[in-house]
Amino acid sequence: MTSVPAPEPSAPKPALIFDDPLDQRSSDDTDRGWGERPGSGGDSAADLKRFLDEKPPHHL
């Protein structure tokens, strides 16, 4: 006869959290990351590259 091994215990399920999600700050609630770029140092070539990267597609 072949014996069936006992099933391994599964990881516990995460608990449900019923807090109000609007009470928590999201990453959009901070100023971090909005329009920030690594320091260009006032380089005109870097300014031109940024302008061309951020130019809307309808401005050719």
Short mmCIF file of all heavy atoms in Angstrom, two decimals:
data_model
loop_
_atom_site.label_atom_id
_atom_site.label_comp_id
_atom_site.label_asym_id
_atom_site.label_seq_id
_atom_site.Cartn_x
_atom_site.Cartn_y
_atom_site.Cartn_z
N MET A 1 0.82 -1.17 0.00
CA MET A 1 0.00 0.00 0.00
C MET A 1 0.88 1.25 0.00
O MET A 1 1.91 1.30 0.64
CB MET A 1 -0.89 0.05 1.23
CG MET A 1 -1.89 -1.06 1.32
SD MET A 1 -3.00 -0.65 2.62
CE MET A 1 -4.49 -0.79 1.78
N THR A 2 0.38 2.24 -0.68
CA THR A 2 1.08 3.51 -0.73
C THR A 2 0.44 4.48 0.24
O THR A 2 -0.76 4.68 0.23
CB THR A 2 0.98 4.11 -2.15
OG1 THR A 2 1.44 3.15 -3.09
CG2 THR A 2 1.81 5.36 -2.25
N SER A 3 1.28 5.02 1.09
CA SER A 3 0.74 5.97 2.06
C SER A 3 0.85 7.39 1.49
O SER A 3 1.83 7.76 0.86
CB SER A 3 1.47 5.88 3.39
OG SER A 3 2.82 6.23 3.19
N VAL A 4 -0.16 8.16 1.71
CA VAL A 4 -0.20 9.54 1.24
C VAL A 4 0.42 10.42 2.32
O VAL A 4 0.01 10.35 3.48
CB VAL A 4 -1.67 9.96 0.95
CG1 VAL A 4 -1.73 11.41 0.53
CG2 VAL A 4 -2.28 9.05 -0.07
N PRO A 5 1.40 11.25 1.94
CA PRO A 5 2.01 12.11 2.95
C PRO A 5 1.00 13.15 3.45
O PRO A 5 0.10 13.57 2.73
CB PRO A 5 3.17 12.79 2.23
CG PRO A 5 2.85 12.66 0.78
CD PRO A 5 2.00 11.44 0.63
N ALA A 6 1.17 13.53 4.67
CA ALA A 6 0.27 14.52 5.27
C ALA A 6 0.46 15.86 4.55
O ALA A 6 1.58 16.21 4.19
CB ALA A 6 0.56 14.67 6.75
N PRO A 7 -0.61 16.58 4.32
CA PRO A 7 -0.46 17.88 3.63
C PRO A 7 0.32 18.86 4.49
O PRO A 7 0.19 18.88 5.71
CB PRO A 7 -1.90 18.35 3.43
CG PRO A 7 -2.71 17.59 4.44
CD PRO A 7 -2.00 16.30 4.67
N GLU A 8 1.15 19.64 3.81
CA GLU A 8 1.95 20.63 4.53
C GLU A 8 1.05 21.79 4.93
O GLU A 8 0.16 22.18 4.17
CB GLU A 8 3.08 21.13 3.65
CG GLU A 8 4.09 20.06 3.30
CD GLU A 8 5.20 20.61 2.44
OE1 GLU A 8 5.40 21.83 2.42
OE2 GLU A 8 5.87 19.80 1.80
N PRO A 9 1.28 22.35 6.11
CA PRO A 9 0.45 23.50 6.51
C PRO A 9 0.73 24.68 5.58
O PRO A 9 1.87 24.98 5.27
CB PRO A 9 0.89 23.80 7.94
CG PRO A 9 2.20 23.13 8.10
CD PRO A 9 2.25 21.99 7.12
N SER A 10 -0.32 25.30 5.13
CA SER A 10 -0.15 26.45 4.23
C SER A 10 0.11 27.71 5.04
O SER A 10 -0.13 27.76 6.25
CB SER A 10 -1.40 26.63 3.37
OG SER A 10 -2.52 26.88 4.20
N ALA A 11 0.61 28.70 4.36
CA ALA A 11 0.90 29.98 5.03
C ALA A 11 -0.41 30.60 5.49
O ALA A 11 -1.44 30.47 4.82
CB ALA A 11 1.61 30.91 4.07
N PRO A 12 -0.40 31.26 6.62
CA PRO A 12 -1.64 31.88 7.10
C PRO A 12 -2.12 32.96 6.14
O PRO A 12 -1.31 33.67 5.54
CB PRO A 12 -1.27 32.46 8.46
CG PRO A 12 0.20 32.59 8.43
CD PRO A 12 0.71 31.52 7.50
N LYS A 13 -3.42 33.06 5.99
CA LYS A 13 -3.99 34.07 5.11
C LYS A 13 -3.82 35.44 5.75
O LYS A 13 -3.90 35.57 6.97
CB LYS A 13 -5.47 33.79 4.87
CG LYS A 13 -5.71 32.52 4.08
CD LYS A 13 -7.20 32.34 3.83
CE LYS A 13 -7.45 31.08 3.05
NZ LYS A 13 -8.86 30.85 2.81
N PRO A 14 -3.59 36.47 4.93
CA PRO A 14 -3.47 37.81 5.51
C PRO A 14 -4.80 38.24 6.12
O PRO A 14 -5.87 37.91 5.61
CB PRO A 14 -3.09 38.70 4.34
CG PRO A 14 -3.31 37.89 3.11
CD PRO A 14 -3.38 36.46 3.50
N ALA A 15 -4.71 38.97 7.21
CA ALA A 15 -5.91 39.42 7.91
C ALA A 15 -6.57 40.54 7.12
O ALA A 15 -5.91 41.32 6.45
CB ALA A 15 -5.54 39.92 9.29
N LEU A 16 -7.88 40.59 7.18
CA LEU A 16 -8.61 41.66 6.53
C LEU A 16 -8.53 42.91 7.39
O LEU A 16 -8.68 42.86 8.60
CB LEU A 16 -10.07 41.26 6.33
CG LEU A 16 -10.33 40.11 5.37
CD1 LEU A 16 -11.81 39.77 5.35
CD2 LEU A 16 -9.87 40.47 3.98
N ILE A 17 -8.29 44.04 6.74
CA ILE A 17 -8.18 45.30 7.46
C ILE A 17 -9.36 46.17 7.03
O ILE A 17 -9.56 46.43 5.85
CB ILE A 17 -6.86 46.01 7.14
CG1 ILE A 17 -5.70 45.12 7.56
CG2 ILE A 17 -6.78 47.35 7.84
CD1 ILE A 17 -4.35 45.62 7.14
N PHE A 18 -10.15 46.59 7.99
CA PHE A 18 -11.35 47.36 7.70
C PHE A 18 -11.19 48.84 8.04
O PHE A 18 -12.16 49.52 8.31
CB PHE A 18 -12.54 46.77 8.47
CG PHE A 18 -12.92 45.41 7.98
CD1 PHE A 18 -12.56 44.28 8.68
CD2 PHE A 18 -13.63 45.25 6.81
CE1 PHE A 18 -12.91 43.01 8.23
CE2 PHE A 18 -13.98 43.99 6.34
CZ PHE A 18 -13.62 42.87 7.06
N ASP A 19 -9.94 49.34 8.01
CA ASP A 19 -9.70 50.76 8.26
C ASP A 19 -10.19 51.57 7.06
O ASP A 19 -10.34 51.06 5.96
CB ASP A 19 -8.21 51.03 8.46
CG ASP A 19 -7.69 50.42 9.74
OD1 ASP A 19 -8.51 50.15 10.64
OD2 ASP A 19 -6.47 50.22 9.83
N ASP A 20 -10.41 52.84 7.29
CA ASP A 20 -10.82 53.73 6.21
C ASP A 20 -9.58 54.06 5.38
O ASP A 20 -8.62 54.66 5.88
CB ASP A 20 -11.42 55.02 6.79
CG ASP A 20 -11.98 55.94 5.72
OD1 ASP A 20 -11.98 55.55 4.54
OD2 ASP A 20 -12.41 57.04 6.07
N PRO A 21 -9.53 53.69 4.11
CA PRO A 21 -8.33 53.93 3.29
C PRO A 21 -8.09 55.42 3.04
O PRO A 21 -6.98 55.82 2.72
CB PRO A 21 -8.62 53.21 1.98
CG PRO A 21 -10.09 53.04 1.94
CD PRO A 21 -10.56 52.99 3.36
N LEU A 22 -9.12 56.26 3.21
CA LEU A 22 -8.92 57.69 2.99
C LEU A 22 -8.23 58.37 4.15
O LEU A 22 -7.80 59.52 4.03
CB LEU A 22 -10.27 58.36 2.71
CG LEU A 22 -10.99 57.85 1.46
CD1 LEU A 22 -12.33 58.52 1.31
CD2 LEU A 22 -10.13 58.04 0.22
N ASP A 23 -8.09 57.69 5.28
CA ASP A 23 -7.36 58.24 6.42
C ASP A 23 -5.85 58.09 6.25
O ASP A 23 -5.08 58.72 6.97
CB ASP A 23 -7.77 57.54 7.72
CG ASP A 23 -9.15 57.94 8.18
OD1 ASP A 23 -9.64 59.00 7.72
OD2 ASP A 23 -9.74 57.21 8.99
N GLN A 24 -5.41 57.27 5.31
CA GLN A 24 -3.99 57.01 5.11
C GLN A 24 -3.46 57.90 3.99
O GLN A 24 -4.17 58.21 3.04
CB GLN A 24 -3.76 55.55 4.76
CG GLN A 24 -4.26 54.61 5.82
CD GLN A 24 -4.23 53.17 5.33
OE1 GLN A 24 -3.80 52.88 4.23
NE2 GLN A 24 -4.70 52.26 6.17
N ARG A 25 -2.19 58.31 4.09
CA ARG A 25 -1.57 59.10 3.04
C ARG A 25 -1.09 58.19 1.92
O ARG A 25 -0.56 57.12 2.17
CB ARG A 25 -0.37 59.87 3.59
CG ARG A 25 -0.78 60.99 4.52
CD ARG A 25 0.38 61.82 4.89
NE ARG A 25 0.76 62.61 3.72
CZ ARG A 25 1.66 63.58 3.74
NH1 ARG A 25 2.28 63.84 4.84
NH2 ARG A 25 1.94 64.25 2.66
N SER A 26 -1.29 58.61 0.70
CA SER A 26 -0.78 57.86 -0.43
C SER A 26 0.50 58.54 -0.94
O SER A 26 0.86 59.64 -0.50
CB SER A 26 -1.82 57.80 -1.55
OG SER A 26 -1.98 59.07 -2.13
N SER A 27 1.16 57.92 -1.89
CA SER A 27 2.37 58.51 -2.43
C SER A 27 2.07 59.78 -3.22
O SER A 27 2.94 60.62 -3.42
CB SER A 27 3.10 57.50 -3.31
OG SER A 27 2.25 57.12 -4.39
N ASP A 28 0.83 59.94 -3.67
CA ASP A 28 0.45 61.15 -4.39
C ASP A 28 0.20 62.33 -3.47
O ASP A 28 0.07 63.46 -3.94
CB ASP A 28 -0.81 60.91 -5.22
CG ASP A 28 -0.56 60.00 -6.40
OD1 ASP A 28 0.62 59.80 -6.74
OD2 ASP A 28 -1.53 59.50 -6.98
N ASP A 29 0.10 62.09 -2.18
CA ASP A 29 -0.16 63.16 -1.23
C ASP A 29 1.09 63.95 -0.86
O ASP A 29 1.01 64.93 -0.14
CB ASP A 29 -0.77 62.60 0.06
CG ASP A 29 -2.18 62.09 -0.14
OD1 ASP A 29 -2.84 62.53 -1.09
OD2 ASP A 29 -2.62 61.25 0.67
N THR A 30 2.23 63.53 -1.33
CA THR A 30 3.47 64.22 -1.01
C THR A 30 4.00 64.93 -2.24
O THR A 30 3.58 64.67 -3.37
CB THR A 30 4.53 63.23 -0.50
OG1 THR A 30 4.84 62.32 -1.56
CG2 THR A 30 4.04 62.45 0.71
N ASP A 31 4.93 65.84 -2.06
CA ASP A 31 5.54 66.55 -3.17
C ASP A 31 6.73 65.79 -3.76
O ASP A 31 7.30 66.20 -4.75
CB ASP A 31 6.02 67.93 -2.72
CG ASP A 31 4.86 68.84 -2.41
OD1 ASP A 31 3.78 68.63 -2.97
OD2 ASP A 31 5.03 69.77 -1.59
N ARG A 32 7.09 64.68 -3.14
CA ARG A 32 8.27 63.93 -3.57
C ARG A 32 8.02 63.28 -4.93
O ARG A 32 7.02 62.62 -5.13
CB ARG A 32 8.59 62.87 -2.53
CG ARG A 32 10.00 62.34 -2.65
CD ARG A 32 10.33 61.44 -1.48
NE ARG A 32 10.75 60.18 -2.03
CZ ARG A 32 10.28 59.01 -1.70
NH1 ARG A 32 9.38 58.91 -0.77
NH2 ARG A 32 10.71 57.93 -2.26
N GLY A 33 8.92 63.51 -5.86
CA GLY A 33 8.85 62.85 -7.15
C GLY A 33 8.08 63.62 -8.22
O GLY A 33 8.04 63.19 -9.36
N TRP A 34 7.51 64.76 -7.88
CA TRP A 34 6.75 65.53 -8.87
C TRP A 34 7.68 66.50 -9.58
O TRP A 34 8.04 67.54 -9.07
CB TRP A 34 5.61 66.28 -8.19
CG TRP A 34 4.52 65.37 -7.78
CD1 TRP A 34 4.36 64.78 -6.57
CD2 TRP A 34 3.42 64.93 -8.59
NE1 TRP A 34 3.24 64.00 -6.56
CE2 TRP A 34 2.64 64.07 -7.80
CE3 TRP A 34 3.03 65.17 -9.89
CZ2 TRP A 34 1.50 63.46 -8.28
CZ3 TRP A 34 1.89 64.56 -10.36
CH2 TRP A 34 1.14 63.72 -9.56
N GLY A 35 8.06 66.17 -10.80
CA GLY A 35 8.88 67.07 -11.61
C GLY A 35 10.32 67.14 -11.21
O GLY A 35 11.07 67.95 -11.74
N GLU A 36 10.74 66.30 -10.30
CA GLU A 36 12.13 66.33 -9.87
C GLU A 36 12.99 65.53 -10.84
O GLU A 36 12.61 64.47 -11.31
CB GLU A 36 12.27 65.74 -8.47
CG GLU A 36 11.55 66.54 -7.42
CD GLU A 36 11.61 65.86 -6.07
OE1 GLU A 36 12.25 64.81 -5.94
OE2 GLU A 36 11.00 66.40 -5.14
N ARG A 37 14.11 66.07 -11.16
CA ARG A 37 15.08 65.38 -12.00
C ARG A 37 16.43 65.48 -11.33
O ARG A 37 16.68 66.41 -10.56
CB ARG A 37 15.15 66.02 -13.38
CG ARG A 37 13.90 65.82 -14.17
CD ARG A 37 14.25 65.81 -15.60
NE ARG A 37 13.06 65.44 -16.34
CZ ARG A 37 13.09 64.69 -17.39
NH1 ARG A 37 14.21 64.23 -17.85
NH2 ARG A 37 12.00 64.38 -18.02
N PRO A 38 17.32 64.57 -11.63
CA PRO A 38 18.67 64.69 -11.08
C PRO A 38 19.26 66.03 -11.48
O PRO A 38 18.98 66.55 -12.56
CB PRO A 38 19.44 63.53 -11.72
CG PRO A 38 18.41 62.60 -12.25
CD PRO A 38 17.16 63.39 -12.46
N GLY A 39 20.07 66.59 -10.62
CA GLY A 39 20.63 67.90 -10.85
C GLY A 39 21.30 68.03 -12.21
O GLY A 39 22.19 67.26 -12.56
N SER A 40 20.83 68.99 -13.00
CA SER A 40 21.42 69.20 -14.31
C SER A 40 22.54 70.23 -14.26
O SER A 40 23.31 70.35 -15.19
CB SER A 40 20.34 69.65 -15.31
OG SER A 40 19.80 70.89 -14.91
N GLY A 41 22.58 71.02 -13.18
CA GLY A 41 23.65 71.99 -13.02
C GLY A 41 23.55 73.16 -13.98
O GLY A 41 24.53 73.83 -14.24
N GLY A 42 22.37 73.41 -14.57
CA GLY A 42 22.21 74.54 -15.47
C GLY A 42 22.80 74.30 -16.85
O GLY A 42 23.08 75.24 -17.58
N ASP A 43 23.01 73.06 -17.21
CA ASP A 43 23.58 72.71 -18.50
C ASP A 43 22.53 72.93 -19.59
O ASP A 43 21.43 72.40 -19.51
CB ASP A 43 24.04 71.26 -18.46
CG ASP A 43 24.73 70.83 -19.74
OD1 ASP A 43 25.13 71.71 -20.52
OD2 ASP A 43 24.86 69.61 -19.95
N SER A 44 22.84 73.71 -20.61
CA SER A 44 21.85 74.00 -21.66
C SER A 44 21.52 72.75 -22.47
O SER A 44 20.39 72.61 -22.94
CB SER A 44 22.35 75.12 -22.57
OG SER A 44 23.55 74.73 -23.21
N ALA A 45 22.46 71.84 -22.65
CA ALA A 45 22.17 70.61 -23.38
C ALA A 45 21.19 69.75 -22.58
O ALA A 45 20.28 69.14 -23.16
CB ALA A 45 23.46 69.83 -23.64
N ALA A 46 21.34 69.73 -21.26
CA ALA A 46 20.41 68.97 -20.42
C ALA A 46 19.03 69.63 -20.44
O ALA A 46 18.01 68.94 -20.43
CB ALA A 46 20.94 68.86 -19.00
N ASP A 47 18.99 70.96 -20.45
CA ASP A 47 17.71 71.66 -20.53
C ASP A 47 17.00 71.35 -21.85
O ASP A 47 15.78 71.14 -21.87
CB ASP A 47 17.91 73.17 -20.39
CG ASP A 47 18.35 73.58 -18.99
OD1 ASP A 47 18.12 72.78 -18.06
OD2 ASP A 47 18.90 74.68 -18.84
N LEU A 48 17.74 71.33 -22.94
CA LEU A 48 17.15 71.01 -24.24
C LEU A 48 16.64 69.58 -24.25
O LEU A 48 15.53 69.31 -24.75
CB LEU A 48 18.17 71.22 -25.36
CG LEU A 48 17.69 70.85 -26.76
CD1 LEU A 48 16.52 71.73 -27.17
CD2 LEU A 48 18.82 70.97 -27.77
N LYS A 49 17.39 68.65 -23.69
CA LYS A 49 16.95 67.26 -23.64
C LYS A 49 15.67 67.12 -22.82
O LYS A 49 14.73 66.44 -23.23
CB LYS A 49 18.04 66.37 -23.05
CG LYS A 49 17.64 64.90 -22.99
CD LYS A 49 18.76 64.05 -22.48
CE LYS A 49 18.46 62.59 -22.39
NZ LYS A 49 17.12 62.14 -22.41
N ARG A 50 15.61 67.83 -21.70
CA ARG A 50 14.40 67.78 -20.87
C ARG A 50 13.21 68.38 -21.63
O ARG A 50 12.11 67.84 -21.61
CB ARG A 50 14.62 68.52 -19.56
CG ARG A 50 13.39 68.53 -18.70
CD ARG A 50 13.61 69.21 -17.39
NE ARG A 50 12.37 69.22 -16.63
CZ ARG A 50 12.19 69.84 -15.50
NH1 ARG A 50 13.18 70.51 -14.97
NH2 ARG A 50 11.05 69.81 -14.89
N PHE A 51 13.44 69.50 -22.32
CA PHE A 51 12.37 70.11 -23.10
C PHE A 51 11.86 69.15 -24.17
O PHE A 51 10.66 68.99 -24.35
CB PHE A 51 12.88 71.40 -23.76
CG PHE A 51 11.92 71.98 -24.74
CD1 PHE A 51 10.80 72.65 -24.32
CD2 PHE A 51 12.14 71.85 -26.10
CE1 PHE A 51 9.90 73.19 -25.23
CE2 PHE A 51 11.25 72.39 -27.02
CZ PHE A 51 10.13 73.06 -26.58
N LEU A 52 12.76 68.49 -24.86
CA LEU A 52 12.35 67.56 -25.92
C LEU A 52 11.66 66.32 -25.35
O LEU A 52 10.75 65.78 -25.96
CB LEU A 52 13.55 67.18 -26.78
CG LEU A 52 14.15 68.34 -27.59
CD1 LEU A 52 15.44 67.88 -28.30
CD2 LEU A 52 13.15 68.90 -28.58
N ASP A 53 12.10 65.87 -24.17
CA ASP A 53 11.47 64.71 -23.54
C ASP A 53 10.06 65.01 -23.06
O ASP A 53 9.18 64.16 -23.11
CB ASP A 53 12.31 64.23 -22.35
CG ASP A 53 13.57 63.52 -22.77
OD1 ASP A 53 13.68 63.15 -23.96
OD2 ASP A 53 14.46 63.36 -21.91
N GLU A 54 9.83 66.24 -22.60
CA GLU A 54 8.55 66.59 -22.01
C GLU A 54 7.60 67.27 -22.98
O GLU A 54 6.48 67.59 -22.63
CB GLU A 54 8.76 67.48 -20.78
CG GLU A 54 9.47 66.76 -19.66
CD GLU A 54 9.68 67.64 -18.45
OE1 GLU A 54 9.33 68.84 -18.51
OE2 GLU A 54 10.21 67.13 -17.45
N LYS A 55 8.03 67.45 -24.22
CA LYS A 55 7.21 68.13 -25.22
C LYS A 55 6.02 67.24 -25.57
O LYS A 55 6.19 66.05 -25.83
CB LYS A 55 8.05 68.40 -26.46
CG LYS A 55 7.33 69.18 -27.53
CD LYS A 55 8.26 69.54 -28.67
CE LYS A 55 8.97 68.32 -29.19
NZ LYS A 55 9.64 68.50 -30.45
N PRO A 56 4.81 67.80 -25.56
CA PRO A 56 3.65 66.99 -25.93
C PRO A 56 3.77 66.48 -27.37
O PRO A 56 4.37 67.13 -28.22
CB PRO A 56 2.47 67.98 -25.79
CG PRO A 56 2.98 69.08 -24.95
CD PRO A 56 4.44 69.15 -25.17
N PRO A 57 3.16 65.34 -27.67
CA PRO A 57 3.32 64.75 -28.99
C PRO A 57 2.71 65.60 -30.12
O PRO A 57 3.10 65.47 -31.26
CB PRO A 57 2.62 63.40 -28.89
CG PRO A 57 1.79 63.48 -27.68
CD PRO A 57 2.40 64.50 -26.79
N HIS A 58 1.76 66.48 -29.80
CA HIS A 58 1.16 67.27 -30.86
C HIS A 58 1.99 68.50 -31.21
O HIS A 58 1.64 69.25 -32.11
CB HIS A 58 -0.29 67.69 -30.47
CG HIS A 58 -0.36 68.50 -29.23
ND1 HIS A 58 -0.42 67.92 -27.98
CD2 HIS A 58 -0.38 69.83 -29.03
CE1 HIS A 58 -0.47 68.88 -27.07
NE2 HIS A 58 -0.47 70.04 -27.67
N HIS A 59 3.11 68.71 -30.50
CA HIS A 59 4.04 69.80 -30.84
C HIS A 59 5.22 69.20 -31.55
O HIS A 59 6.17 68.76 -30.96
CB HIS A 59 4.51 70.51 -29.56
CG HIS A 59 3.46 71.34 -28.92
ND1 HIS A 59 3.32 72.66 -29.17
CD2 HIS A 59 2.49 71.01 -28.03
CE1 HIS A 59 2.31 73.14 -28.47
NE2 HIS A 59 1.79 72.16 -27.77
N LEU A 60 5.19 69.23 -32.86
CA LEU A 60 6.30 68.67 -33.63
C LEU A 60 7.29 69.68 -33.99
O LEU A 60 7.70 70.55 -34.11
CB LEU A 60 5.79 67.99 -34.90
CG LEU A 60 4.88 66.80 -34.66
CD1 LEU A 60 4.34 66.28 -35.96
CD2 LEU A 60 5.62 65.71 -33.92
#
